[in-house]
Amino acid sequence: MKMGTALLYDEEMTKYKLLWVDPVCKIEVPERLTVSHEALVKTGLADRCIAVPVREATDADILLVHSEEYLEAVKTTPYMTLEELMEFTLQHGDVYFHPNIYHCAKLAAGATLQLVDSVMTGKVRNGMALVRPPGHHSMRSAANGFCVFNNVAIAARYAKQKYGIKRVLIVDWDVHHGQGVQYCFEDDPSVLYFSWHRYEHQKFWPQLRDSDYDSVGKEKGAGFNINVPWNKVGMKNSDYLSVFCHVLLPIAYEFSPDLVLVCAGFDSAIGDPEGEMRASPDIFAHLTHLLMNLAGGKLCAVLEGGYNLTSLHQSVCQTVQTLLGDPAPRPANLDGPCTSALESLHCVRAAHKQYWSCLKHAAELPTSDVSTKCIKLAEEEEKQKTGEVEKSAEEETWPEPPKRLAPPVSTALVLPEGVACPDGCKRFSSSEDPVIVNKLREKFLTDSDDSDALTTLSSLTALVEKMEKNEIGNGLALVRDVSMAMMCVVQHAATAHHDRVLIVCVGDAVVSSQGTDDGKTLLVQFSNKESEEQKGKFHIPVCLKKGCSDVSGFTQAVLGLLLPLGYEYDPSLVLLVRAPGSGLSDGAWQQLTGLLQGLAQGHTLVLMQEGEKACVGPTASSLLGVAAPPLGKLHAPLPEDVEALERLRLGLQADWKLLRTTAPETGGGEAPFFGSEIS
Ligand code: FKS
Ligand code: ZN
């Protein structure tokens, strides 16, 4: 059912190190690997993974990306004297050589290929390779930035060649720009490369003009290279999540990869001396989770950077635990993206709007673009002169990520008799608690004496309570009347301990807005009924022309609207309601179910109408954590839907900061958050 997670590691890759004094390279130490691996062992995560042996990459593998001359040159390094190694090192940038690094580099690339093989052959669902040396800076004929062979670039070519897949997505969340990967696939539309990186208007290493947002790819590959430059340090969880929701995910879903490779560097986490960013290690649980429903779940994470050993091992554990399917922790401190991040977001979306239909209505480039840059630079220099004292990254402290406990029961179903319970799920019924029963009778069943309904509703209430205690992860109920069941759960949750409930309603269920404006619930309702009006901050009708039957429009609404809203709202329970005749395809429904499980520690309760028996299987499988099937390459959504969604987003962004995609100053017009993106 739920296939496993591969872990690739070989101690041999710790057996090279810097042999001379070099302040630039001294952070790249063997302990990066040992500490990460030990943490996985200590937490029991390594045991839960499938250990896949590492192999050496062959010459043919390496030549998929590198030149023969370069490979031959690297081959001579094991026989070099110290002086010769130092001299060879000097021919390349920010890297060091050691007699054993060639061997390790072959293992690092080979481990990555073994991981790709395990995932592509279906031996495992996903996996992570802990490797050294890293790869994303190395180029066709040059080592660079601690990297010798470009592990992930080789893997992308290898996967295409060996398995005949058409599209590969590379997500580079390392804090440095993987220029080696960019150069390798710049003109290739079959490999979509996404990277965010510390840039500071080209002041930060590798200081390339090519790392800016306007390097979008060349020729046929135009639009398939996405750079998000961070022009300030200190980027946080909100900044990372906004870029995922408003750039990477919409494009990735439109692209529809057959395989996802992650350049998984963790120098983008708090405490890292290189990155100086402030995202918490548990953000990687979310970044990972958000990618796990692409490509049918085929995801390979390959270690790149990460130099604060504590932050590094915590982040590695968060990533692997998520790959294993454990629910993600509730994301902390989502206080909205900072102005600088919004400026970057704005520029990237503008630079790519001509290539991706999901960005068709994004705002144009800020007109003051170039001059803004100069002003920003001047400001920055000014600040340096006045010598503002800031905490150094190494002094940064942060709480250890909370232990993530998978509930003893993953998925519980409340089903009428005669409907079979899918494998892996637990059929749930409660011994009726008289207090609950009485309450239900009073509130909902005053004029009927329907004992079936009573049983169902009391089971639902009990189920919600068990989720609250984390005895059950998530659940599904087939009910006679979704509207009534929904009201019942909401009322119960409001009086019980649940602090906030996110209600996502697909199709036309009757929803009373009574009691939904106090912030205890946030209702997002997808339908085709234009009549529905927005009622305050907490009741958001999303009207799509063809309801939910247009997959592109629906996906766009989920990624760019629902996810950011959900993240910012941070519910303790998600109630997902599927009204009859929603028009939603099983595939899109599974994507929705899967994605929403990043919220509320995975506590989702799905309500469906009795008639929708056929949907129980697919829903249960998504609740169990099986990746949703790919939706295929998405066509352009209906123009009126794109416009309606954009208008809705603009109207809501005063209240919901994660919906913003432009900075206040560069939004244009008098009202910065309204109307600037609609022509
Ligand atoms: C500025 C000097 C930076 C080199 C940084 C190399 C970063 C390597 C990496 C990788 F993933 F490849 F390991 N010098 N202070 O983290 O991107
Ligand atoms: Zn890095």
Side-chain angles (χ1 to χ4, degrees), residues 27 32 134 136-137 145-147 172-178 204-205 264-268 272 274-275 304-307:
I27 55 175
R32 297 179 52 242
H136 69 156
H137 299 300
F146 314 153
C147 303
D172 189 338
W173 70 44
D174 185 280
V175 86
H176 299 95
H177 182 217
F204 191 72
W205 188 88
F266 299 101
D267 41 14
S268 43
D272 192 279
E274 266 290 306
E304 298 279 358
Y307 308 98

Side-chain angles (χ1 to χ4, degrees), residues 552-600:
S552 302
F554 181 75
T555 305
Q556 187 152 342
V558 168
L559 301 173
L561 202 69
L562 178 60
L563 279 184
L565 282 170
Y567 269 107
E568 186 163 352
Y569 184 64
D570 183 26
S572 53
L573 176 70
V574 175
L575 191 57
L576 176 55
V577 182
R578 181 178 165 109
S582 64
L584 192 62
S585 68
D586 277 1
W589 169 252
Q590 286 178 295
Q591 287 287 347
L592 173 65
T593 312
L595 286 167
L596 284 175
Q597 276 175 90
L599 303 170

Side-chain angles (χ1 to χ4, degrees), residues 9-128:
Y9 174 72
D10 192 321
E11 214 188 291
E12 178 65 13
M13 285 181 280
T14 65
K15 307 234 159 99
Y16 77 92
K17 62 175 191 201
L18 180 63
L19 295 176
W20 50 83
V21 178
D22 178 351
V24 166
C25 292
K26 68 166 198 258
I27 55 175
E28 205 294 293
V29 294
E31 289 75 21
R32 297 179 52 242
L33 227 50
T34 44
V35 159
S36 301
H37 187 250
E38 274 162 19
L40 288 173
V41 172
K42 225 168 68 200
T43 50
L45 292 167
D47 258 348
R48 294 171 57 194
C49 294
I50 297 168
V52 172
V54 161
R55 71 164 167 95
E56 286 182 13
T58 63
D59 283 7
D61 297 330
I62 294 165
L63 292 172
L64 286 169
V65 165
H66 299 281
S67 69
E68 210 148 350
E69 306 82 83
Y70 174 63
L71 173 58
E72 292 309 316
V74 176
K75 273 187 189 172
T76 65
T77 60
Y79 312 101
M80 288 180 178
T81 64
L82 192 65
E83 277 86 71
E84 286 169 331
L85 281 170
M86 285 172 87
E87 205 195 295
F88 188 78
T89 292
L90 287 177
Q91 297 167 24
H92 305 267
D94 290 33
V95 62
Y96 63 88
F97 281 83
H98 177 281
N100 199 36
I101 202 172
Y102 169 54
H103 184 219
C104 294
K106 280 191 289 185
L107 292 176
T112 309
L113 301 182
Q114 289 282 80
L115 175 55
V116 165
D117 280 333
S118 308
V119 166
M120 288 309 300
T121 57
K123 192 176 160 204
V124 296
R125 169 163 63 145
N126 55 32
M128 172 143 204

